[in-house]
Amino acid sequence: MSPRTIGVTEVAFRDAHQSLMATRMAMEDMVDVCEEMDKAGFWSVECWGGATFDACIRFLNEDPWERLRTFRKLMPNSRLQMLLRGQNLLGYRHYEDMVVDKFVEKSAENGMDVFRVFDALNDPRNLEHAMRAVKNVGKHAQGTICYTTSPLHDVDGYVKLAGRLLDMGADSIALKDMAALLKPQPAYDIIRGIKETYGEDTQINVHCHSTTGVTMVTLMKAIEAGADVVDTAISSMSLGPGHNPTESLVEMLEGTDYTTDLKMDNLITIRDHFRKVRPKYAEFESKTLVNTDIFMSQIPGGMLSNMENQLKAQGAGDRVEEVMREVPIVRKDAGYPPLVTPSSQIVGTQAVFNVLMGRYKVMTAEFADLMLGYYGQCPGERNPELIKQAAEQTKKEEITVRPADLLEPEWDDLVEQAKELDGYNGTAEDVLTNALFPSVAPGFFTARGEGPKNVGKTVEQLKREAEQASGAANAIREPIRYKVTVGGRSQTVQVEPA
């Protein structure tokens, strides 16, 4: 019997550099390798969504819509994939349903094929409309389960959630492990449970980070359980808070009942390209290699670096460990939400406030909204005293309805707002850009004509550094004696190494 082919989603163009180097990679460092990506044989190429949209306009002066169009042009044979935060789209609040429809429609028109739709709380109500919008434009709707652990989370619950997603019309199910918490046996049990309950032809994609050091084994067990597609990153853009290496997956499956059918020659070319590119962004690199504390705190890599920066800004950089111990307490009080954007930032920031100012002496507006249901339904019961405190602080009532049901139609207002901005180009894409990031988009629109910024080091800078390093390698290691003659008198001078 021939080996079963496992699809691979390559994440170098999106989640890899988001996780490793704060989403700073410029488009100019990706275009030259698109042809190789297109030929390598990936099931899909993840290249958009997540934090890339924000980073494009905030740091790189790139139009994210033009980035998507460029990927579509340069990879005509590939499925392009994005990460979409359900009713939040790519922003940090809920948007009214028509805005969700417009965003999905324009994303599809500009070249997107696969929409991985998730909600930070695993609240199906926050996924349903976005999933329907994807189906309405004829694209692949991937319903996502955000994996976490708590006294409330178990295999049966994840299997039932998969069923809810399939009822919404999901073309596939993604098991998303954003913090490298998914151990091999739970992965096997969840995937087998979904397959046995809903049919072996149910497509399951598995997404793991590598931060805790266990998830390469997790991918193997997931494949043995029946996973159809797994996410990896080319080796020169892998590991740490990123993902497991693509080439390592290929080698791991050699001699087994599984194969990827990826073309190793193309993978090597892709690897070598990013090996040259990565040093440009060294100043943004995460220092994390392996962190097993995450099994306790459940803090994703990006959230950890964010907390460290918050504490340093307050002159409390030495209190990271206290905050990590506080995060599980805050998470329990909030009803055990998975920690992924934006819930990870909300819980993490509240933990920082608790450590610096006393537990819940100051409650952030976002945490108050989380406690009152304005982000959706958390998996467990929330601390009733904190719900009361949040209501008193915000003068809002606790809600149990889908948060987007409380929103008034806003598309026409968003169009009018965009028209007032210098540099607005009159497109629905610009309206959406401003809707998602209203504090950043106006500056981007006015600076757009100046062209992309190069936030990494230039080729010339890297060359000089290499030359300096080479010079240091050839530096004087032993004393050198010189005979110096001045005015007929000779003197011996000894020069010691630095």
Side-chain angles (χ1 to χ4, degrees), residues 20-89:
L20 295 175
M21 52 189 68
T23 332
R24 292 302 204 279
M25 187 172 288
M27 191 65 189
E28 68 175 25
D29 289 322
M30 294 183 263
V31 290
D32 289 344
V33 79
C34 283
E35 183 178 356
E36 297 295 330
M37 284 278 197
D38 203 37
K39 293 177 179 177
F42 296 114
W43 184 84
S44 67
V45 177
E46 193 204 40
C47 60
W48 210 60
T52 59
F53 198 106
D54 184 356
C56 275
I57 65 173
R58 191 181 299 271
F59 302 117
L60 304 176
N61 204 40
E62 285 185 23
D63 190 323
W65 298 99
E66 183 59 30
R67 176 179 281 206
L68 175 55
R69 289 189 288 269
T70 301
F71 279 134
R72 179 72 287 159
K73 179 181 177 181
L74 297 179
M75 294 186 287
N77 305 303
S78 297
R79 290 186 190 91
L80 302 188
Q81 180 172 315
M82 74 168 294
L83 184 66
L84 187 72
R85 299 177 190 136
Q87 208 73 29
N88 288 14
L89 298 177

Side-chain angles (χ1 to χ4, degrees), residues 29 32-33 36-37 234-237 247 264-279:
D29 289 322
D32 289 344
V33 79
E36 297 295 330
M37 284 278 197
I234 203 73
S235 61
S236 50
M237 289 288 291
E247 307 96 301
M264 187 58 78
D265 287 347
N266 298 106
L267 297 184
I268 290 171
T269 304
I270 296 166
R271 177 201 68 191
D272 292 347
H273 169 85
F274 285 110
R275 183 178 286 169
K276 294 176 182 176
V277 164
R278 187 167 174 174

Side-chain angles (χ1 to χ4, degrees), residues 241-261:
H243 311 77
N244 294 293
T246 304
E247 307 96 301
S248 300
L249 175 80
V250 174
E251 298 291 350
M252 180 176 73
L253 296 183
E254 186 175 345
T256 70
D257 294 333
Y258 315 98
T259 185
T260 63
D261 286 345

